[in-house]
Every structure is written in structure tokens, then in C-alpha cells.
Amino acid sequence: MDAIDPNTKNQEKQANFVHISVLADELISGLAIRPGGIYLDATVGGGGHTRLILEAASDTQVIAIDRDAEAINAAKNKLAEYTDRITFWHGNFATYQPQDLKFDGIIADLGVSSFHLDTGSRGFSFRQEAELDMRMDQRENLTAADIINEWEEAELADIFYKYGEERLSRRIAKQIVEKRPFKTTTELANEIFHSVPRSYRYGRIHPATRVFQALRIVVNQELASLETFLKTAPNWLKGGGRIGIISFHSLEDRLVKHSFKESPTLQVITKKPIIPQESEIEQNSRSRSAKLRIAEKIKSFE
């Protein structure tokens, strides 16, 4: 077999980085984008929301962040025509420091992208066989395999319950510890499937779904990062600037809701979260659980 040029591989990854921007119209409308404004896209992904910000008003600029190097590269490629209006930063939005820069708007589209779920080699989904990885940032050390194969049974049960809201967490953790080590996503998913009662195996979702969510959250420290981001991001807004966050499960949404409500510098714009229309769900079934909340920086705190 002929050797594959690494550059060709990178081009293929960029071409295949597919992430459908959820609640795009609602988010852009809610941000009330200003001509000449500076915006922060804390999770640029495939660049869909950033593109809409750049197109929504003249001379807008975007600082685009992502933990995944492949996402950054894909966004650079897809948004090449806007190079002079975008600055990219590779890292966790919780550790980003804008220095003296103030934004007219901030957005974050939380969770895992379609690219991550559909790219088997990254280990986010049990639909395809892959190593138990789940790292959004490949520079990090902790993997899902480390957790599954090395953590104590009680620790596993705790994270499955806390971050996956899995009611059979203890039963599943006990079975995993008895049968480990596990190397692949499918091995783990199959063991979880057979560790639960028959009545639980054929429900609305696969029995491994909540466990995989919990592992992903822990590997990437998603909730801890979100908490930090929610505490600091309002300080980065100009008076009258808005922050819009899209979440995909109750743990995230609860953090966003309470953070916006309890912030002394923010006024909540969305009393109830904005959810996708049926037409969007029909086009993209993964948008079904999305919730958008928007808040505005009180001008007196500028």
C-alpha cells in the first residue's frame, strides 16, 4: 500500500469535520449583533455560528476558541475568506484570558459535536469500535480507558450516577470492575448491555448511553470548565453585550440557568430556554435536546 501524505490526512479530517449548528437563527437573533462588534465563539467547532456572526453585520470580528485541534483546523479552512476578521485560540474556554479585550457578545455551543460522534477513532460513540479515548484535547493525559480500567468501583458508580444520571450505576460499575480490562468502546458497551435487566436493554436509549456521557464529561472536565467559564465570561462583556449558551443535557442547562439568574451583572433575556422547532429536529435529530439561554450585561456594570 502506498504511504499516505500526512497533509492529505489533515485535509480529509478538515473536509469531514461536520457539525450542524443548532438553534443558529435563534442564537444570532438573540445576540443582537452590532456592526463593528467583537465577539467570542468559545466553541467554534466547524465554524457555523462564527460564520453567521461575521455575515450578520459589517466589520464584525470573532475570537474563535476550541479544545480540539482538528476543529480549529477545519474552521480555519472553512472560514478562509474571513481570515482578517478571525483570531483562533486552541484551548479550554475556562483558561482563556482576553486581557483588556471586551466583547459585544459571547457564545458557547456545549457538548460533543457530530464530528466527534461520527469519527469512530476518537472513542466518543459506542456505535463504532474504537479505543476508549474521548479526549477533546489530545494534549491531555486522562482517557476513558484510564477511568474504566483503573478507578475504584465506588468511584465509577459515583460518576455514572452524578454525570450520567444512571440509576443502575452501582450494578453497572460492579460488572465493569469484575470484567475489566476493556480496550474498546464496543467491548464496554456490550458489557453494560448485558449487565442490566432485559427490561432495561430495549428502552428509548441504549443502556450504555448515560455511562458514555459520564465518561466524556469526566475525561474533559466539562462541568468544572463550564462553571469556571460562567463565572468569568460576564466580566468580558461590554455593557449591553449578550451571552448565549446552548446546552444538551440537564446538568449543563441547570448550571447555565442558575449562573445567569444569580449573576449580579447579568439580566436574563430568556425566561424559559429556547428549544428547536420541529422542522429543525426533522433535519437534525441531534438538536432535539438543545436548549438556548441568553443574558445581557447590565450597562451600569460596563
Side-chain angles (χ1 to χ4, degrees), residues 76 81 88 93 96 116 132 169 196 259 281 286 295 302:
K76 285 181 177 179
E81 63 194 286
F88 290 95
F93 57 37
Y96 175 68
H116 290 127
L132 286 163
S169 58
V196 301
S259 179
I281 294 172
R286 288 174 179 165
E302 187 167 3

Side-chain angles (χ1 to χ4, degrees), residues 13-284:
K13 286 179 179 178
Q14 291 173 16
N16 293 330
F17 197 107
V18 177
H19 179 58
I20 302 172
S21 298
V22 174
L23 291 168
D25 292 340
E26 293 86 345
L27 177 61
I28 298 304
S29 175
L31 279 181
I33 292 173
R34 308 165 179 173
I38 301 176
Y39 293 84
L40 174 67
D41 186 344
T43 53
V44 68
H49 287 131
T50 283
R51 176 180 291 277
L52 292 174
I53 290 171
L54 294 168
E55 292 175 348
S58 59
D59 301 323
T60 49
Q61 298 180 52
V62 176
I63 307 295
I65 296 175
D66 208 282
R67 300 177 68 171
D68 193 324
E70 291 181 24
I72 293 286
N73 290 334
K76 285 181 177 179
N77 185 53
K78 292 180 180 180
L79 300 170
E81 63 194 286
Y82 298 106
T83 301
D84 59 335
R85 294 165 60 189
I86 308 175
T87 301
F88 290 95
W89 189 81
H90 178 206
N92 188 332
F93 57 37
T95 61
Y96 175 68
Q97 296 293 334
Q99 305 305 328
D100 297 327
L101 192 62
K102 293 282 187 176
F103 297 102
D104 294 273
I106 297 171
I107 64 171
D109 181 357
L110 305 175
V112 65
S113 71
S114 297
F115 167 79
H116 290 127
L117 292 172
D118 295 337
T119 304
S121 61
R122 299 295 294 273
F124 285 95
S125 172
F126 49 81
R127 306 294 180 188
Q128 302 177 63
E129 185 172 23
E131 292 183 3
L132 286 163
D133 191 329
M134 299 194 191
R135 291 172 298 167
M136 291 183 182
D137 188 337
Q138 296 290 295
R139 298 173 300 183
E140 299 292 337
N141 294 319
L142 183 67
T143 68
D146 295 330
I147 296 172
I148 285 296
N149 294 320
E150 298 174 14
W151 287 24
E152 298 291 335
E153 180 181 323
E155 292 179 295
L156 293 178
D158 183 53
I159 65 168
F160 297 162
Y161 183 78
K162 185 176 181 180
Y163 300 121
E165 299 179 296
E166 174 53 68
R167 63 184 181 86
L168 297 183
S169 58
R170 292 181 182 177
R171 179 171 181 156
I172 293 171
K174 185 175 187 297
Q175 186 79 358
I176 287 172
V177 170
E178 288 179 357
K179 297 297 179 69
R180 67 190 184 186
F182 295 94
K183 294 183 178 180
T184 68
T185 54
T186 50
E187 285 177 352
L188 178 59
N190 288 336
E191 192 60 48
I192 294 170
F193 181 84
H194 290 103
S195 73
V196 301
R198 281 186 171 275
S199 60
Y200 201 73
R201 295 176 188 174
Y202 302 101
R204 185 176 59 84
I205 61 174
H206 190 285
T209 302
R210 295 186 178 93
V211 170
F212 271 63
Q213 173 183 296
L215 288 170
R216 193 200 78 223
I217 288 173
V218 174
V219 167
N220 297 290
Q221 298 183 315
E222 290 178 31
L223 295 183
S225 295
L226 179 58
E227 283 190 78
T228 299
F229 177 72
L230 289 169
K231 288 177 183 176
T232 56
N235 300 323
W236 308 339
L237 282 170
K238 297 177 182 177
R242 292 189 172 187
I243 179 169
I245 298 183
I246 300 171
S247 62
F248 288 86
H249 57 75
S250 59
L251 298 174
E252 293 174 336
D253 181 58
R254 201 174 299 133
L255 282 176
V256 176
K257 175 183 177 181
H258 291 298
S259 179
F260 282 3
K261 185 177 180 181
E262 295 166 8
S263 172
T265 65
L266 294 178
Q267 177 182 350
V268 175
I269 301 299
T270 50
K271 301 302 180 185
K272 292 184 178 180
I274 299 170
I275 60 176
Q277 300 291 322
E278 283 299 323
S279 57
E280 180 171 2
I281 294 172
E282 288 175 6
Q283 293 180 352
N284 177 18

